[in-house]
Amino acid sequence: MKKIIGIVGAGNVGLSLAEALARKELDVLILSDHYLGPMPFVRRQEARAFLERCTAAIICVKDRDIREIAALLASADAEISRKPFLHTAGGLDSSALSSLRDRGASVGVMHPIQSFPMPDPKLIEGIYMGVSGDKEAVNLAEEIARALGCQIIKVKNHALYHAACVMSAGFIATLLRLAGKVLSEASDGSWRALLPLAKGTLRNVEAMGPEKATTGPQVRGDNETVRAHAEALRVFDPGLAMLYNLLSAEMTEKKEKKTLDPLLLEVLACPKCKGELEYRKDEDALICHGCRLRFRIEDGIPVMLIEEAEKF
C-alpha cells in the first residue's frame, strides 16, 4: 500500500511540515477548509475519504482544537485500528488523542522544537523533536525525523518539557523587550542596540554551552556593580528589580545555601493584600501579619503563591 501522510491543518506548522515532507518525495494529503495551495487537499466534510487514503495522520492545529479535531476524525466512518496519529503540541501528551485511541488507533506526539512565524519547510529540517506516545506512533515520528534530518528527544513530562521550550524562546524575546525598555529609559537607544550583544551570546552558547557562555558582573564577583544595577532598577521598575535579582542569584551559582537578597525584600509584597512582609531568616520564610500567611523561601527564592502559603 502506498504510504500517504495526512496533515490536518494548514497553519504555519502544518504547511511547513507538509512542504518539508513533499521535498523528501513523501506523499502528503492536507485536510483543511481553508487551504488553496498546490498540494493535494480535502475538506473537513471529506474526513472519511481522508482517513481511507492516508496511512498515517499528523494533527497540526492550535492546542485548544486538538481534542475536537481528534473527535471529528474518530467519528468518521473509517477503519483506523492500529493507524498512527500524531499531534504537534508540545504542552499536551498523547491523551489529547484519546478519542482516536479508543477506536484502536496508535497515538502520540511529535513536537518540533522551533518557532514558525510563517510557513517555511527549512524551519523544520535538522531541528530537534519532542516525541512520546504509543509504539507505532513513535515509530512514525522517528521515521519522519530521519527523513527530515531531525533528532529525537523522548518526553516524559509534557508540562515541564514545554515550559523549557517557552523559556528558551518566548522568555528570550521578552527579556530583550524588557532590556530595551530599560535602555530607552537610560538613553536614546532601543532594543535593536542590544541585538548584536544577544546574538553574540547565543553564538557563544552554541559554541561553549550555556554555563561557559554566561558573563557579567555577577560571574566576575563585582557585587558593587550588581547592587548599583538592582538599586537603579528598583527606582525605575520594582518588578524588573525583582527579576534582575532572581536571575543574578541563578548566575552566581553559589554552592552555599542562598539567602534572600535584601534588595529583593524591598520590592516584595504580600500577593494577597499587597502589604509589607517580615523576613524571618531563621525560618527561611516571609510573614504577612495582616493575612496571617507564611511564604517559604527555597534556596534564596521566595515562593509567593497564595495557595502554597501556610496559614498561622
Side-chain angles (χ1 to χ4, degrees):
M1 182 180 180
K2 186 178 182 180
K3 181 174 289 188
I4 300 177
I5 298 176
I7 303 294
V8 183
N12 292 346
V13 175
L15 290 182
S16 297
L17 181 57
E19 291 180 28
L21 292 172
R23 285 186 174 192
K24 299 299 180 180
E25 299 184 349
L26 295 170
D27 292 316
V28 298
L29 178 64
I30 295 173
L31 177 67
S32 170
D33 284 343
H34 309 290
Y35 179 68
L36 293 172
M39 288 183 287
F41 66 90
V42 295
R43 300 308 187 196
R44 279 197 188 187
Q45 62 265 30
E46 302 173 83
R48 177 180 177 180
F50 172 81
L51 292 172
E52 289 175 343
R53 291 175 61 184
C54 295
T55 52
I58 306 172
I59 299 174
C60 309
V61 298
K62 294 178 180 178
D63 294 18
R64 64 175 180 266
D65 296 330
I66 289 175
R67 288 181 173 84
E68 178 186 345
I69 294 298
L72 171 71
L73 296 176
S75 65
D77 187 18
E79 176 55 50
I80 60 172
S81 180
R82 298 185 63 82
K83 184 172 289 189
F85 289 81
L86 298 165
H87 73 69
T88 57
L92 300 175
D93 61 23
S94 61
S95 66
L97 304 181
S98 58
S99 56
L100 291 164
R101 179 182 275 145
D102 291 343
R103 288 208 49 213
S106 176
V107 301
V109 182
M110 184 186 73
H111 173 247
I113 306 180
Q114 177 66 286
S115 59
F116 294 87
M118 64 188 72
D120 185 349
K122 293 180 181 178
L123 291 174
I124 210 164
E125 296 177 358
I127 63 172
Y128 282 80
M129 290 188 175
V131 171
S132 69
D134 302 334
K135 183 178 179 180
E136 291 84 357
V138 169
N139 288 343
L140 171 65
E142 292 177 342
E143 180 182 345
I144 290 173
R146 284 194 299 271
L148 299 179
C150 299
Q151 297 189 57
I152 288 290
I153 62 173
K154 299 292 181 67
V155 180
K156 297 179 290 185
N157 183 318
H158 275 271
L160 280 178
Y161 159 80
H162 199 234
C165 294
V166 171
M167 290 169 70
S168 66
F171 276 19
I172 290 178
T174 299
L175 280 173
L176 189 58
R177 176 179 61 80
L178 292 174
K181 176 183 175 182
V182 175
L183 185 65
S184 296
E185 175 68 15
S187 70
D188 62 355
S190 71
W191 62 268
R192 290 189 180 277
L194 302 171
L195 201 53
L197 178 62
K199 288 181 177 179
T201 299
L202 287 176
R203 285 194 296 269
N204 292 339
V205 168
E206 185 175 16
M208 300 182 290
E211 291 185 7
K212 290 184 178 180
T214 301
T215 62
Q218 294 86 349
V219 178
R220 297 191 297 269
D222 189 353
N223 295 330
E224 185 176 340
T225 297
V226 173
R227 288 186 175 277
H229 292 175
E231 177 59 23
L233 285 169
R234 186 187 66 80
V235 174
F236 172 59
D237 186 326
L240 287 180
M242 184 188 305
L243 177 62
Y244 183 90
N245 282 311
L246 288 172
L247 291 176
S248 293
E250 185 63 32
M251 287 173 68
T252 58
E253 295 184 342
K254 295 177 181 177
K255 293 184 179 179
E256 67 270 16
K257 184 179 179 181
K258 297 176 184 175
T259 58
L260 185 65
D261 191 308
L263 291 175
L264 180 59
L265 181 60
E266 290 182 19
V267 299
L268 284 175
C270 174
K272 186 175 182 180
C273 71
K274 311 304 179 186
E276 292 185 1
L277 297 166
E278 177 193 352
Y279 175 34
R280 293 184 179 175
K281 186 175 180 180
D282 57 332
E283 298 180 20
D284 253 354
L286 293 170
I287 305 298
C288 177
H289 292 283
C291 299
R292 299 189 64 80
L293 291 176
R294 178 183 181 275
F295 299 91
R296 70 182 185 278
I297 299 171
E298 295 182 352
D299 201 21
I301 300 176
V303 181
M304 304 303 294
L305 300 173
I306 296 174
E307 60 269 24
E308 293 285 336
E310 178 185 344
K311 294 183 179 180
F312 65 92

